[in-house]
Amino acid sequence: MKSFEFHRPQSVDEAVAFLKAHDAAKLLAGGQSLLPVLKLDLAEPSDLLSLQKLSGLKGVQSDGDALVVGALTTHDEVARSAEVQKRIPGLAALASGIGDAQVRNRGTLGGSVAHADPSADYPAAVVALNATVSTDRRKIAADDFFTGLFATALAADEIVTEVRFPVPEKAGYAKFPHPASKYAIVGVFVAKTAGGVRVAVTGAGAKVFRLPAVESALGAKFTADAVPTVTAASLAGAALRSEGGSPEYVANLITVMARRAVQACG
Ligand SMILES: Cc1cc2nc3c(=O)[nH]c(=O)nc-3n(C[C@H](O)[C@H](O)[C@H](O)COP(=O)(O)OP(=O)(O)OC[C@H]3O[C@@H](n4cnc5c(N)ncnc54)[C@H](O)[C@@H]3O)c2cc1C
């Protein structure tokens, strides 16, 4: 691992100013994705900026018809939050299934969405719940946030500050986890709101994607047996990753996880 300078900025503005002045600097949140990347020499930042002093980025708040989760909130804090368990239990369940206890105690929501790992769990919730990602300078709609494999709409010097999740009528998540890491081989998040149903798949493709045919079927009848069989042909635009198995196998996993996600809505 190449050596780097370590900093603890005291404010978001200070961190952004540093990033603007140092092209090769990187933010450090929980380190659960960045440190493995550094150990593998896949990135060689000149400076690491720990976000840990920015306590304003931590915590869960109810705000009218939404839950607002600070970027530095750990997966464990989301899983244990009474507000999340009461208002979006499917989101609490998703957070409780990320990695292991160590990963959940260090890893953060902001780090997860900024890293945009194709097998991460949160992107499915962000897209299915039609969340809004706030940064130091703007608000980004979920459908515009994840742009590709480990790629987002964020600029290199932009900091995620919070994610606003509209509270749905019902929501549920089901994943087929990798047996060692618990990352999603396929994960499906289903959310039902007054405006319709949104269904998002993580793990299978280069980035999270929605299933319009399943959304309209569940909009007509919200039961597990109403989920139509997802075919490999219908996933042609999803840039499926070969790690998950053949397209037919992945399509079957998506069908099964979508049905389980509806059942998980209770
Ligand atoms: C063994 C293991 C198992 C795991 N299993 C799972 C799993 O089952 N499901 C899952 O979803 N994830 C899993 N993860 C990943 C974990 O959830 C990470 O916590 C998460 O991906 C990154 O969050 P972090 O806070 O650790 O970010 P870091 O590793 O600190 O940072 C990741 C990236 O995001 C950037 N970043 C961090 N915070 C911000 C911010 N606020 N604004 C802008 N950029 C930012 C950093 O610069 C870096 O590029 C696993 C990780 C490990 C090591």
Side-chain angles (χ1 to χ4, degrees):
M1 191 191 298
K2 188 172 164 271
S3 62
F4 51 80
E5 297 293 321
F6 185 75
H7 310 268
R8 284 195 188 87
Q10 303 294 314
S11 69
V12 170
D13 287 350
E14 186 189 329
V16 171
F18 193 98
L19 290 174
K20 284 188 186 303
H22 300 82
D23 285 350
K26 272 197 100 50
L27 298 170
L28 176 69
Q32 297 302 297
S33 292
L34 185 55
L35 291 186
V37 165
L38 298 186
K39 284 182 187 165
L40 292 168
D41 285 335
L42 294 173
E44 297 189 334
S46 58
D47 302 82
L48 284 189
L49 278 70
S50 168
L51 296 175
Q52 294 302 330
K53 292 274 182 197
L54 309 184
S55 53
L57 302 190
K58 239 183 191 308
V60 178
Q61 284 186 329
S62 266
D63 182 18
D65 61 358
L67 276 183
V68 180
V69 183
L72 262 193
T73 313
T74 64
H75 310 325
D76 187 63
E77 288 164 340
V78 172
R80 290 173 188 268
S81 160
E83 279 297 280
V84 182
Q85 289 175 2
K86 187 173 104 196
R87 301 195 73 193
I88 318 183
L91 184 62
L94 174 150
S96 73
I98 294 176
D100 53 28
Q102 179 179 336
V103 170
R104 292 193 293 276
N105 274 302
R106 296 297 305 172
T108 67
L109 171 62
S112 180
V113 298
H115 193 60
D117 190 302
S119 299
D121 296 295
Y122 271 127
V126 168
V127 170
L129 290 166
N130 200 13
T132 303
V133 180
S134 292
T135 75
D136 58 283
R137 66 200 68 169
R138 60 181 170 147
K139 297 183 189 310
I140 307 172
D143 286 334
D144 300 329
F145 186 80
F146 299 100
T147 56
L149 191 73
F150 295 105
T152 68
L154 293 171
D157 58 7
E158 193 166 9
I159 298 182
V160 177
T161 53
E162 63 187 29
V163 180
R164 184 182 180 90
F165 295 96
V167 175
E169 289 173 12
K170 293 178 174 184
Y173 182 62
K175 77 167 159 177
F176 189 74
H178 186 282
S181 70
K182 303 291 187 289
Y183 273 108
I185 293 174
V186 166
V188 179
F189 201 101
V190 172
K192 180 177 188 298
T193 67
V197 175
R198 289 170 66 103
V199 179
V201 180
T202 190
K207 68 180 182 93
V208 58
F209 59 88
R210 289 173 59 190
L211 292 174
V214 178
E215 290 178 353
S216 60
L218 287 174
K221 185 176 173 229
F222 195 77
T223 59
D225 60 9
V227 173
T229 300
V230 177
T231 62
S234 73
L235 300 172
L240 291 187
R241 299 187 305 136
S242 56
E243 292 95 320
S246 70
E248 291 74 20
Y249 177 72
V250 171
N252 184 56
L253 270 185
I254 292 173
T255 306
V256 174
M257 292 306 123
R259 290 175 180 155
R260 288 186 188 171
V262 175
Q263 283 164 347
C265 291

